[in-house]
Amino acid sequence: MTFENSLEYARAQDRIDPLRAFRGQFHLPHRGGRELIYFTGNSLGLQPRATREMIGRELDDWAEHGVEGHFSARSPWYSYHEIFPQQLAHVVGALPEEVVAMNQLTVNLHVLLTTFYRPDRKRYKIICEAKAFPSDQYAMESQVRLHGLDPQDAIVEVAPRAGEHTIRTEDITAVIQLHSSSVAVVLFGGVNYYTGQVFDMKAITAAGQQAGAFVGFDLAHAAGNVPLDLHGWNVDFACWCSYKYLNSGPGGVAGAFIHERHIANPSLPRMAGWWGYTKASRFEMKSGFVPIPTAEGWQMSNAPVLSMAAHKAALNLFEQAGMQALAEKSRLLTRYLFYLLDCINTDQGHTAIEVITPRGDGEHGCQVSMLMKERGREVFAALAAAGVLADWREPNVIRIAPVPLYNTFEEVWQFGHLISSILSTPGAQAPSI
Ligand SMILES: *Cc1c(COP(=O)(O)O)cnc(C)c1O
């Protein structure tokens, strides 16, 4: 693939983009009447235009039917969530029985660790990535303490080597092997939120299971971003949120995956509630929990229909676009960004921007993290003033995520052009977009 650093070229790429029509399906944020360049879909995905109507439908049915909406709404609330296994299975590479939409992400992490983290005197360690997302760190720490163990001893972190930003797969598997007699769970992100590194989930799963551990992934930054094959990789459990790449709204209903070989095992300990109870006899309200023999057996509460309406509107778009087409466009968008950043460094005559996201096939998704070697804050402020929504991480990292459903090559070009202008003119203001 040979790219060109020009607005005409970027626009030409947009014209031949098979997914170009999807941008029109979203509300694009504005400021002062001007459309912004939105590169923070890894933090909160944009609102699909269909969302309002989908939620409105449930509000109308609630107004009209009251409690009877559970059975007489146009999409009865009693079974409202049952469409998700099909839609989510496509997104995360699973069998429909293996996935369920429920709760929130950190809650699901706890729910799944309750089942899969069953430490005993011998096996009690959790192996994870260093600098995992804070909520995951707190979840692991508190799980360890719930079992009366010491996080210092029980949590083993794998870090990048000195001078490197990303974690090598061989280092992860080496640490797993080193602790193979004491590891209970291996828990990694699918995509590291800081560097954008996609972990080799297949290799980590194989290594963890060979060591006798259960292996799980937090897919917050992976679901809807990179191709996943949770079933094929033999992952034991996983969870994700729906408000990042999945565009299902702030605090939207999250998801969970439990591998086929575990779902029908009623003896697996779990946090139980009535919505995980066998459907045919749920309303007999008998004592003694009999789980649904699918991932729904981990469901505790009845479905949050309003947030699920938003989820449905968003997943419909994933279904229409197809994960493969999305992955293909994402690859091109991100590679174009890599190319433009390389152009900037060449123009500057030195590395002004160090891309810390790995560039290899399958090693990155949408997100690109840039270590700004000079004038980082100034560049970030100028980008913001010019109408680009990006993300700043201390001490000097700018993260952006060109998202294939609604971002364009032109926007990526504008981003590179703005940075180039700022770096080439000391102290100057960025031009307006
Ligand atoms: C976004 C994110 C979270 C947020 O958790 P919530 O329970 O949805 O608030 C947790 N973990 C990771 C890795 C994330 O990226």
Side-chain angles (χ1 to χ4, degrees), residues 104-107 109 133 135-136 193 218 220-221 241 243-244:
Q104 303 283 303
L105 171 54
T106 308
V107 173
L109 207 48
F133 193 89
S135 197
D136 301 46
Y193 79 98
D218 180 332
H221 282 265
C241 58
Y243 49 81
K244 290 173 177 160

Side-chain angles (χ1 to χ4, degrees), residues 355-432:
V355 175
I356 62 174
T357 305
R359 299 185 184 213
D361 255 342
E363 292 181 334
H364 66 82
C366 299
Q367 181 187 317
V368 176
S369 303
M370 291 156 259
L371 187 64
M372 305 304 286
K373 299 286 207 186
E374 56 204 59
R375 298 167 64 199
R377 281 220 154 268
E378 192 191 329
V379 169
F380 185 73
L383 284 168
V388 178
L389 272 165
D391 176 81
W392 175 262
R393 293 278 144 170
E394 292 297 343
N396 51 0
V397 167
I398 294 177
R399 300 185 309 168
I400 71 164
V403 167
L405 269 174
Y406 47 75
N407 284 124
T408 62
F409 289 88
E410 177 170 346
E411 288 176 314
V412 171
W413 182 83
Q414 292 283 8
F415 177 83
H417 180 63
L418 281 166
I419 294 189
S420 172
S421 316
I422 298 158
L423 287 180
S424 305
T425 40
Q429 282 292 307
S432 201

Side-chain angles (χ1 to χ4, degrees), residues 5 337-353 370 372 413 415-421 423-424:
N5 187 356
L337 177 58
F338 288 149
Y339 161 80
L340 294 169
L341 295 172
D342 288 343
C343 289
I344 293 173
N345 286 332
T346 306
D347 288 349
Q348 294 290 313
H350 62 276
T351 303
I353 302 167
M370 291 156 259
M372 305 304 286
W413 182 83
F415 177 83
H417 180 63
L418 281 166
I419 294 189
S420 172
S421 316
L423 287 180
S424 305

Side-chain angles (χ1 to χ4, degrees), residues 190-224:
V191 177
N192 180 273
Y193 79 98
Y194 183 71
T195 62
Q197 174 183 17
V198 177
F199 289 110
D200 187 337
M201 289 172 255
K202 188 177 175 188
I204 294 171
T205 302
Q209 289 170 349
Q210 193 165 20
F214 287 123
V215 181
F217 291 94
D218 180 332
L219 304 174
H221 282 265

